[in-house]
Amino acid sequence: MLSAFDVGSSFEGMGAAREASFTAFVEPALFLLIGAASLATPQTSFAGLIGQWHHAASFPWLSAPTILVLFVLLQTEASRVPVDDPMTHLELTMVHEVMILDHSGPELAAMQYASAMKMTTYAG
């Protein structure tokens, strides 16, 4: 986002602002999901909470709906379809791709690598 603001283009600034706003909407939902799951289970650590997925019979709400919500949050945070459509050049639908339009060479490769690492980390 900082490099998109540094370019000085209003088009890239809009994309960076959208990226920041999506993050501001996703993080409270993620924390609410984790907090609700920790209140419903006797676990006090995140590792213990994740370990409860092995006992889905005792906590059936923790399996399919939770994974679905985490998948939607992953798509939003990683700026993927249906939140972002990289195949179009309409500024209303572009989030990540608009921020890297004025970059090329090693800088573009570093941004694409960082985006791939972000997606891998969130998916893990």
Side-chain angles (χ1 to χ4, degrees):
M1 286 189 295
L2 290 175
S3 67
F5 285 130
D6 186 46
V7 170
S9 168
S10 61
F11 189 58
E12 289 188 21
M14 286 190 303
R18 274 191 213 101
E19 179 85 16
S21 65
F22 285 163
T23 301
F25 291 139
V26 165
E27 284 182 0
L30 179 64
F31 293 143
L32 181 65
L33 177 72
I34 292 171
S38 67
L39 286 176
T41 61
Q43 302 298 323
T44 58
S45 69
F46 188 68
L49 181 64
I50 297 299
Q52 289 294 321
W53 279 349
H54 298 294
H55 307 290
S58 59
F59 299 102
W61 63 270
L62 195 58
S63 56
T66 305
I67 291 172
L68 179 65
V69 169
L70 287 173
F71 182 70
V72 170
L73 293 177
L74 169 70
Q75 287 180 325
T76 305
E77 185 65 32
S79 297
R80 298 292 184 242
V81 174
V83 178
D84 181 21
D85 187 7
M87 302 305 292
T88 182
H89 284 281
L90 299 173
E91 68 244 11
L92 296 176
T93 59
M94 294 175 70
V95 178
H96 175 72
E97 298 297 323
V98 72
M99 292 191 302
I100 61 172
L101 284 176
D102 289 339
H103 297 85
S104 64
E107 290 87 10
L108 178 61
M111 288 181 191
Q112 294 289 30
Y113 179 73
S115 176
M117 290 302 294
K118 179 181 175 183
M119 181 73 166
T120 303
T121 302
Y122 281 128

